[in-house]
Every structure is written in structure tokens, then in C-alpha cells.
Amino acid sequence: MKTILIIDDEVNVGLLLSKFLKRNGFDVDTATNGGSGMECLKNKEYNLVLCDFRLEDTDGREMLKNIKALYPKTGVVIITGYSDIKMAVELIKMGAYDYITKPLYPDEILNTINKAIETQYALQEMAGNDYSSDKPQKESKKQILSGEFVVGTSRASKELLKQIELVAPTNYSVIILGESGTGKESVAKSIHLNSLRANQPFIAMDCGSLTKELAASEFFGHEKGSFTGAFATKIGHFEMANGGTLFLDEVGNLSYEIQAALLRTVQERKVKRIGSTKEIDLDVRIIIATNENLQDGIAKGRFREDLYHRFNEFSIQMPPLRDRGNDIMMLAEYFLKIANRELDRNVTTFSPEVIECFMNYRWQGNIRELKNVVRRATLLTEGTEVGMKTLPLEISNFKVTAYESQGNNGYGNGASAQPQPDVKEAPKHDLKNAALGAEHDTILKVLREVNFNKTKAAEILNIDRKTLYNKMKAINLK
């Protein structure tokens, strides 16, 4: 079970936060000052400390220094009021994982805590690896990868690792391209960890969730009173990442106006908060990720070409999970280990049937889908071996057609067989079934081309989504 220590001199805050986290499966202790907090750390090992910046006997800066010096495996998240945000950003640069501001919001707290603990697990995994002492330092640094990108044996994984090693020591801006769920943020973190900025902040920003109105404030920050609702000064993500790396996910979703403001900031390496006249010098490396074709966006006038070329100093294409061969089971075993820790289980293996199923399944959700499936299976497994009954039906019922099992799958030479739903073979000379077979082939071909995006497939086929679903149901195409 994940263990958390809350250090906050506001007893009610600590109590409410403790009850909320316990309901969400955490083992939680509380302390009301720095001294008692350090005493708790001495007697028990914690995954994470949530520490209020202002305590009656000390402050967040001193607590962070002491925790990092004495308990380096423990992550630290600072709890702060708006007036202390600038200091909280400095604490991130000193080694705190992140900060959360009062008032506290449940979704934000859980998201921050889970990401912080996952990061600590990843760092411990890296620290626990046994490397020969006679290997050069550069050789061990190659292994520094984060989160969900596991160094695999497949050609695609080795090529990806080579590209990370190549670009990480530079200051190049990087575009990471790939399907949703392939681990683009993990690769961005790996680039950061292998760079000269490794000890500086890594700030991730989800551009897909930004409204046009909020985007400028999130990027550049604002001064108190600069617009209606600006009740306090806010530090923008560029300023938070100063000296380190700013990761922008799904950047293709930004409005054209925000792209123009972003271009100016990237070109001039200066940022100015909304409502301020003071410009702040920036030293930020930018890594962006997208599952869209930005060049299509340029052609359609949705994305600025000049901004694209500013970002595109180096590009990395993420391989989909279905192209990573035996890495699928390496990842599954890695996620099984994490799930065992989370759930306090001792599930050790996958049954041969599950392994075969995992290797054949298409994994449209890529690594994210695999991780969720393994976590679910770990929870449902009663013994020590993951069996077929713990898998979702869409995976356990998936079949590979005879045509694809021979390697003729349309993905080029060397591509692994792609699993497809089980479709009954049409009797010879049956015109109706022959027509259905041709329709099946056409729909399946288009779905593959658009990565199984049903909206896009319906547009290409010149039918609406409802008709597409009905036709898929009619030909037993799940």
C-alpha cells in the first residue's frame, strides 16, 4: 500500500485530507509541525510527503532540504497558498516533485500524488539496477529512462533509445509523434533526465484540456487584478520550467491566437505575465507531443508553419505497442510489479494463454491500455497466476484470422501478424455473402488507415457513424 505523510499545522486540513486519501486506498499519517514530521519519517518509510510551506516551527524549504538529505527515496509535494507560489516554484527546482495550492481540489490532489509516486518508483527502479562498476558512466546513463518506456529488445525500442541518447544532451526542441498511449510523456522525461537540465524542473502541460480563455494565463501567468477573476498572482508554466524542460502535450489543439503568442515567447526567450510590464528572461527547452499530423494542420490553416519549424529541430516517431514484439511481455511484467506494490498482492506470472492473447491483441490504446489491463487483472487474480478470466472480453475474445497469421497483414515485411475479429467465411458462389465480405474488407481497410477512429472512417466511407456501427455489427466486426 502507498504510504503518505501529511505535515500541516492546520489540524482540520490535515484531518480532511487524511480521510480523503484513506478512502482512496492510501496509508496516511499526519503531523502538525516540522519536528513531529521528521520524527514520523525516522520511524516509518513513506512514498510521499505532502508538506505545507508555512509551518509553526519551520518552512517548506528547510523541510525539503532535510527530507532530501536523509530520505532521498521519499517524494515531496508542497502545499501552499497563492502568495507563496513563487517560493514553491523555487522548491521544485530544489527537488520537490510539484506543488498544490489551497483551496485543495480532490482531482488535482489525486492526480499529483499518483504521478509523484509513479515517478519515485521509476527513480528507485533505475537506482536499483545492478551495473558493473567497470562500465563507463555513459553506459549506465543510457539506462536512465522514466515511467512507462521500458528498454526492450525489439528493433523499434532500440532505435527509439538510440534517438533519445542522441538528442538528450543537446538543447534541441523535440517533436514526439505517435498514437495515443504510446508513452510520449515518458520519453520526454527520459530526454530531460539524460540532459544537462536533469536537476532542473520538468513541467508537463496538457494543451488538449486548455480553453482559449485560460491558455494565456497557464502559459505566461498573470498579475493579481489583471482581469476579472485574477484574485492572486499566478506563475505560468514557462516561468515554472525556467532552467529546465517544458513538455507540451497535444499542442495541435491550441488556438491560432495562442500559437502566435507562443511563437513570440519561443523566438525571444522572454515571457511577460498578463498585466505586467516586466519581461522575464527564459532558458527553457521545449518538447512537444502530438498524435495528429501537424503538417496536415498547417495545410488546413489550423497550425502555424513558423511555430512548427521552431519546434521541429528534432523529431521522434513513437512505435505503437503492436510493433514492439516481445517488449509487450516485458512491459506487462513491469506493470505487474507496480500493480503488486499498489494492491499489496503477490501475482507472479501470466498463464501461457494470457501471454499468447497479449502477443496477438492489437492494443489500440497502446501502453496505456496494457497498463490498465494488467492492473485490472492483478486485482481480479486470486492466486499467483493471471488467467484468461481476468481479462476484459474484448481482449479474451479477440481472434487472429488465418490470412493474417501467415504474415499478410498489409504492414510491410517483418511486421507482426495483426489480430482481427473472428468473421465467418462466406460460402462460395453466395452473392449476398460475397458482397458482405467485400464490405467487410473495405471497412476494415479504412479503419486501419485511420487507426480505428470511427468518426474519420465514417467520413472517408461517406456514411454517418450510426450507419458505420450498424454495418460493423452486421458483419460481426467488433
Side-chain angles (χ1 to χ4, degrees), residues 42-57:
K42 189 192 298 183
N43 297 321
K44 183 175 177 179
E45 189 173 320
Y46 294 94
N47 296 116
L48 190 69
V49 173
L50 300 179
C51 183
D52 193 18
F53 178 70
R54 295 187 183 275
L55 298 169
E56 60 183 31
D57 59 343

mmCIF file of all heavy atoms in Angstrom, residues 42-57:
data_model
loop_
_atom_site.group_PDB
_atom_site.id
_atom_site.type_symbol
_atom_site.label_atom_id
_atom_site.label_comp_id
_atom_site.label_asym_id
_atom_site.label_seq_id
_atom_site.Cartn_x
_atom_site.Cartn_y
_atom_site.Cartn_z
ATOM 1 N N LYS A 42 11.480 9.214 10.609
ATOM 2 C CA LYS A 42 12.522 8.401 11.224
ATOM 3 C C LYS A 42 12.003 6.992 11.534
ATOM 4 O O LYS A 42 12.735 6.012 11.471
ATOM 5 C CB LYS A 42 13.002 9.067 12.526
ATOM 6 C CG LYS A 42 14.257 8.406 13.140
ATOM 7 C CD LYS A 42 14.505 8.897 14.550
ATOM 8 C CE LYS A 42 14.771 10.397 14.595
ATOM 9 N NZ LYS A 42 15.076 10.840 15.987
ATOM 10 N N ASN A 43 10.713 6.908 11.865
ATOM 11 C CA ASN A 43 10.149 5.638 12.324
ATOM 12 C C ASN A 43 9.449 4.832 11.235
ATOM 13 O O ASN A 43 9.091 3.675 11.456
ATOM 14 C CB ASN A 43 9.147 5.904 13.462
ATOM 15 C CG ASN A 43 9.825 6.518 14.670
ATOM 16 O OD1 ASN A 43 10.942 6.145 15.024
ATOM 17 N ND2 ASN A 43 9.168 7.478 15.306
ATOM 18 N N LYS A 44 9.208 5.442 10.071
ATOM 19 C CA LYS A 44 8.444 4.741 9.035
ATOM 20 C C LYS A 44 8.873 5.231 7.658
ATOM 21 O O LYS A 44 9.201 6.400 7.491
ATOM 22 C CB LYS A 44 6.941 4.992 9.254
ATOM 23 C CG LYS A 44 6.014 4.267 8.308
ATOM 24 C CD LYS A 44 4.567 4.511 8.729
ATOM 25 C CE LYS A 44 3.576 3.877 7.787
ATOM 26 N NZ LYS A 44 2.170 4.102 8.212
ATOM 27 N N GLU A 45 8.841 4.330 6.678
ATOM 28 C CA GLU A 45 9.210 4.708 5.313
ATOM 29 C C GLU A 45 7.964 5.164 4.550
ATOM 30 O O GLU A 45 6.938 4.481 4.555
ATOM 31 C CB GLU A 45 9.828 3.513 4.588
ATOM 32 C CG GLU A 45 10.436 3.861 3.236
ATOM 33 C CD GLU A 45 11.183 2.684 2.625
ATOM 34 O OE1 GLU A 45 11.876 1.965 3.369
ATOM 35 O OE2 GLU A 45 11.049 2.500 1.402
ATOM 36 N N TYR A 46 8.042 6.342 3.911
ATOM 37 C CA TYR A 46 6.905 6.905 3.184
ATOM 38 C C TYR A 46 7.248 7.046 1.700
ATOM 39 O O TYR A 46 8.381 7.379 1.342
ATOM 40 C CB TYR A 46 6.524 8.280 3.740
ATOM 41 C CG TYR A 46 5.982 8.237 5.154
ATOM 42 C CD1 TYR A 46 6.833 8.435 6.242
ATOM 43 C CD2 TYR A 46 4.638 7.992 5.393
ATOM 44 C CE1 TYR A 46 6.342 8.380 7.549
ATOM 45 C CE2 TYR A 46 4.138 7.935 6.696
ATOM 46 C CZ TYR A 46 5.003 8.127 7.759
ATOM 47 O OH TYR A 46 4.507 8.072 9.040
ATOM 48 N N ASN A 47 6.230 6.811 0.854
ATOM 49 C CA ASN A 47 6.407 7.076 -0.576
ATOM 50 C C ASN A 47 6.420 8.572 -0.858
ATOM 51 O O ASN A 47 7.145 9.040 -1.743
ATOM 52 C CB ASN A 47 5.266 6.449 -1.386
ATOM 53 C CG ASN A 47 5.238 4.941 -1.284
ATOM 54 O OD1 ASN A 47 4.297 4.376 -0.768
ATOM 55 N ND2 ASN A 47 6.273 4.282 -1.763
ATOM 56 N N LEU A 48 5.614 9.313 -0.099
ATOM 57 C CA LEU A 48 5.420 10.727 -0.414
ATOM 58 C C LEU A 48 5.113 11.521 0.845
ATOM 59 O O LEU A 48 4.428 11.040 1.751
ATOM 60 C CB LEU A 48 4.245 10.869 -1.401
ATOM 61 C CG LEU A 48 4.027 12.236 -2.032
ATOM 62 C CD1 LEU A 48 5.161 12.573 -3.006
ATOM 63 C CD2 LEU A 48 2.698 12.274 -2.792
ATOM 64 N N VAL A 49 5.624 12.764 0.873
ATOM 65 C CA VAL A 49 5.299 13.715 1.941
ATOM 66 C C VAL A 49 4.548 14.891 1.318
ATOM 67 O O VAL A 49 5.016 15.483 0.343
ATOM 68 C CB VAL A 49 6.562 14.223 2.662
ATOM 69 C CG1 VAL A 49 6.202 15.337 3.646
ATOM 70 C CG2 VAL A 49 7.262 13.094 3.394
ATOM 71 N N LEU A 50 3.369 15.208 1.858
ATOM 72 C CA LEU A 50 2.651 16.436 1.499
ATOM 73 C C LEU A 50 2.927 17.432 2.609
ATOM 74 O O LEU A 50 2.449 17.257 3.734
ATOM 75 C CB LEU A 50 1.149 16.177 1.380
ATOM 76 C CG LEU A 50 0.689 15.157 0.346
ATOM 77 C CD1 LEU A 50 -0.830 15.011 0.389
ATOM 78 C CD2 LEU A 50 1.120 15.566 -1.048
ATOM 79 N N CYS A 51 3.704 18.452 2.318
ATOM 80 C CA CYS A 51 4.181 19.370 3.357
ATOM 81 C C CYS A 51 3.696 20.793 3.094
ATOM 82 O O CYS A 51 3.945 21.346 2.021
ATOM 83 C CB CYS A 51 5.709 19.333 3.413
ATOM 84 S SG CYS A 51 6.409 20.368 4.709
ATOM 85 N N ASP A 52 3.014 21.369 4.081
ATOM 86 C CA ASP A 52 2.597 22.764 3.980
ATOM 87 C C ASP A 52 3.843 23.645 3.979
ATOM 88 O O ASP A 52 4.814 23.373 4.710
ATOM 89 C CB ASP A 52 1.694 23.120 5.163
ATOM 90 C CG ASP A 52 0.978 24.448 4.951
ATOM 91 O OD1 ASP A 52 0.906 24.894 3.789
ATOM 92 O OD2 ASP A 52 0.521 25.040 5.930
ATOM 93 N N PHE A 53 3.819 24.699 3.148
ATOM 94 C CA PHE A 53 5.007 25.560 3.072
ATOM 95 C C PHE A 53 5.236 26.328 4.376
ATOM 96 O O PHE A 53 6.366 26.489 4.823
ATOM 97 C CB PHE A 53 4.874 26.546 1.900
ATOM 98 C CG PHE A 53 6.039 27.489 1.810
ATOM 99 C CD1 PHE A 53 7.292 27.022 1.433
ATOM 100 C CD2 PHE A 53 5.904 28.836 2.125
ATOM 101 C CE1 PHE A 53 8.382 27.872 1.366
ATOM 102 C CE2 PHE A 53 6.979 29.691 2.054
ATOM 103 C CZ PHE A 53 8.226 29.210 1.682
ATOM 104 N N ARG A 54 4.185 26.779 5.006
ATOM 105 C CA ARG A 54 4.317 27.552 6.245
ATOM 106 C C ARG A 54 3.943 26.686 7.444
ATOM 107 O O ARG A 54 2.790 26.289 7.611
ATOM 108 C CB ARG A 54 3.423 28.798 6.186
ATOM 109 C CG ARG A 54 3.850 29.782 5.108
ATOM 110 C CD ARG A 54 3.058 31.076 5.204
ATOM 111 N NE ARG A 54 3.418 31.990 4.137
ATOM 112 C CZ ARG A 54 4.458 32.836 4.182
ATOM 113 N NH1 ARG A 54 5.224 32.863 5.258
ATOM 114 N NH2 ARG A 54 4.714 33.637 3.162
ATOM 115 N N LEU A 55 4.927 26.377 8.270
ATOM 116 C CA LEU A 55 4.710 25.609 9.492
ATOM 117 C C LEU A 55 5.114 26.454 10.700
ATOM 118 O O LEU A 55 5.898 27.410 10.571
ATOM 119 C CB LEU A 55 5.528 24.318 9.464
ATOM 120 C CG LEU A 55 5.183 23.336 8.326
ATOM 121 C CD1 LEU A 55 6.235 22.240 8.236
ATOM 122 C CD2 LEU A 55 3.808 22.733 8.531
ATOM 123 N N GLU A 56 4.601 26.088 11.860
ATOM 124 C CA GLU A 56 4.858 26.932 13.045
ATOM 125 C C GLU A 56 6.312 26.914 13.486
ATOM 126 O O GLU A 56 6.806 27.879 14.070
ATOM 127 C CB GLU A 56 3.947 26.502 14.204
ATOM 128 C CG GLU A 56 4.150 25.059 14.641
ATOM 129 C CD GLU A 56 3.182 24.637 15.729
ATOM 130 O OE1 GLU A 56 2.048 25.148 15.755
ATOM 131 O OE2 GLU A 56 3.564 23.786 16.556
ATOM 132 N N ASP A 57 7.038 25.830 13.213
ATOM 133 C CA ASP A 57 8.425 25.747 13.689
ATOM 134 C C ASP A 57 9.458 25.781 12.562
ATOM 135 O O ASP A 57 10.662 25.807 12.821
ATOM 136 C CB ASP A 57 8.623 24.475 14.519
ATOM 137 C CG ASP A 57 8.303 23.197 13.736
ATOM 138 O OD1 ASP A 57 7.627 23.302 12.696
ATOM 139 O OD2 ASP A 57 8.728 22.107 14.165
#
